[in-house]
Amino acid sequence: MYRNLKVVPRVVFGRGCFDQLDAVLEPQRKGSGIMVFVLDDFFEGKALEKRIPLRKGDLLLRVNVDKEPKTTGIDALTEQVKNFCGKDVMPDGVIGIGGGSILDTAKAVSLMLTNPGASHEYQGWDLIKYPGVYHVGIPTLAGTGAEVSRTAVLTGPVRKLGLNSDHTVYDQVVLDPDLLNGVKESIPEQWFWTGMDCYIHNVEALCGTFVNEYARAFGEQSQVLCREVFLDHHPESDEKLMMASYFGGMSIAYSQVGACHALSYGLSYVLGLHHGIANSIVFDYLDDFYPEGVKEFRAMAEKNKIKIPRNLTADLSEEQMQKMIDVSMGMVPLWENCLGKEWQEKMPKERMRQLFEKM
Ligand code: NAD
Ligand code: ZN
């Protein structure tokens, strides 16, 4: 069976297009009229916050993402929205403005407004029963592909796993490269980690056994753009990175990530590391899996004067090491994509342990 992909139906792209947001939302204000803006609290008091087209009766939620989104946090935000709107009243839209963490938060709140129970009950594949509230994604960091993906990654009581469903996909995205302006200068490491999430997605997809021409077409173009950004420092890098992320997400939709993401999930689960940085830490040790990709990744790190953290696993207890291995072993489709059906013969626990010990 081939996947029947759901893609984002509406996209605005271009510098300054954020200012069209009010006009984009206008036709959607057809019920309660309420719009809920979910904003990364980094922007509190900053120019971008003042440009949000808040109308009377709208709700602005400033959300902190020092820690990546949790199911408990999503449930609390959903309650807050319900209380604000009143009994039996729904907002007409939920708009996420931020990096991958906020994009996932807004998706999840939109879904939890219309689906009963707690968000952790929906961690998995196609468990969401009802379409969410109309939702719009506006990235302020580029690389995760969360603006186009069918998942909202959440840490729950048992595991970190997405709300994967067709309903998760945004109804609208607003891609304004201006919102990336200055990110490279102000938070160069974060800019790099998030960008490398995209680069690594592409390497894993393109080298994987699941890849087809659909995924390859998007993945290869995304790599071209990543090189222009991270090796050539192209003057239009904000535009290019925005599109690299979008294309990377489109590619993954019809392929899968691989060894780096499988190991990085284990590493971040135990060490509490963020997704982007964990991927970069792991990828640096995967020469045997992705020789060309790792070489180019190191060139990108050097060119941008980024130091990859080292010696993180030296003091782990045996129990923690076991947990790391177990979480990574559980990522079956990722290993299958990387190494084929017989992946367990090629990736025994001992080999995984040796890799983690190097980190
Ligand atoms: P992020 O959203 O976690 O943000 C990282 C930091 O950058 C935060 O401190 C944030 O406040 C700050 N920030 C955001 N925009 C900024 C700006 N313009 N200027 C200055 N600071 C800014 O980072 P991310 O790497 O974009 O997202 C990581 C998250 O995405 C993880 O939770 C991961 O699980 C998730 N993810 C989701 C998908 C998906 O398909 N849904 C894919 C990959 C990763
Ligand atoms: Zn990723």
Side-chain angles (χ1 to χ4, degrees), residues 230-231 294-304:
F230 293 101
L231 293 174
V294 174
K295 207 167 124 194
E296 191 166 57
F297 163 80
R298 291 195 186 123
M300 289 176 174
E302 197 180 301
K303 184 102 193 174
N304 294 286

Side-chain angles (χ1 to χ4, degrees), residues 7-281:
V7 295
V8 176
R10 286 188 170 269
V11 181
V12 189
F13 176 89
R15 268 195 192 272
C17 73
F18 184 81
D19 291 330
Q20 274 170 248
L21 184 57
D22 192 48
V24 167
L25 298 178
E26 166 68 31
Q28 304 297 332
R29 292 185 186 265
K30 51 197 173 198
S32 64
I34 302 169
M35 290 290 163
V36 177
F37 297 88
V38 181
L39 176 72
D40 189 322
D41 74 354
F42 165 82
F43 294 105
E44 181 160 7
K46 300 215 165 67
L48 184 66
E49 185 181 84
K50 300 192 178 98
R51 288 168 60 202
I52 294 175
L54 265 185
R55 292 197 187 175
K56 196 164 173 277
D58 287 350
L59 174 64
L60 172 62
L61 294 171
R62 300 181 186 90
V63 176
N64 183 275
V65 292
D66 288 349
K67 296 222 165 73
E68 294 183 345
K70 289 196 174 66
T71 52
T72 46
I74 296 303
D75 297 340
L77 285 170
T78 307
E79 265 315 294
Q80 205 178 330
V81 174
K82 283 183 178 167
N83 289 337
F84 178 86
C85 294
K87 197 167 180 292
D88 300 329
V89 179
M90 278 286 164
D92 282 341
V94 176
I95 303 102
I97 308 170
S101 296
I102 289 289
L103 294 178
D104 283 354
T105 300
K107 286 178 181 177
V109 168
S110 143
L111 294 171
M112 293 316 299
L113 283 167
T114 53
N115 287 272
S119 53
H120 72 83
E121 294 165 42
Y122 298 97
Q123 285 184 289
W125 283 268
D126 303 307
L127 302 173
I128 298 281
K129 290 191 196 72
Y130 308 106
V133 168
Y134 166 82
H135 47 305
V136 181
I138 309 182
T140 64
L141 280 180
T144 65
E147 63 278 22
V148 286
S149 74
R150 75 190 292 280
T151 188
V153 183
L154 302 178
T155 303
V158 186
R159 57 177 70 88
K160 181 172 171 181
L161 182 61
L163 312 184
N164 296 269
S165 83
D166 281 353
H167 301 307
T168 312
V169 178
Y170 274 117
D171 296 301
Q172 167 87 56
V173 293
V174 175
L175 306 178
D176 183 347
D178 250 356
L179 305 188
L180 306 182
N181 192 20
V183 170
K184 181 186 169 194
E185 290 72 27
S186 62
I187 43 167
E189 293 193 325
Q190 185 64 59
W191 170 79
F192 186 78
W193 310 136
T194 304
M196 285 304 107
D197 191 21
C198 176
Y199 177 79
I200 295 168
H201 285 162
N202 295 331
V203 172
E204 292 182 297
L206 293 169
C207 298
T209 58
F210 294 179
V211 74
N212 60 15
E213 280 313 314
Y214 182 98
R216 200 191 309 278
F218 286 110
E220 284 181 349
Q221 183 56 30
S222 181
Q223 289 307 62
V224 168
L225 295 164
C226 283
R227 287 180 192 120
E228 289 180 312
V229 173
F230 293 101
L231 293 174
D232 305 340
H233 292 164
H234 193 283
E236 286 179 13
S237 283
D238 295 337
E239 280 86 344
K240 297 207 178 257
L241 191 54
M242 194 65 100
M243 284 316 295
S245 176
Y246 183 88
F247 270 41
M250 293 295 286
S251 171
I252 283 300
Y254 229 129
S255 55
Q256 183 51 278
V257 285
C260 181
H261 274 72
L263 295 167
S264 121
Y265 281 122
L267 195 75
S268 25
Y269 190 87
V270 172
L271 296 177
L273 292 169
H274 280 226
H275 182 76
I277 189 170
N279 279 339
S280 281
I281 292 166

Side-chain angles (χ1 to χ4, degrees), residues 289 338-348 351-352:
F289 297 80
C338 178
L339 298 169
K341 284 270 177 231
E342 284 77 43
W343 66 273
Q344 272 168 314
E345 287 162 31
K346 295 179 187 154
M347 196 63 194
R351 187 176 181 199
M352 214 177 271

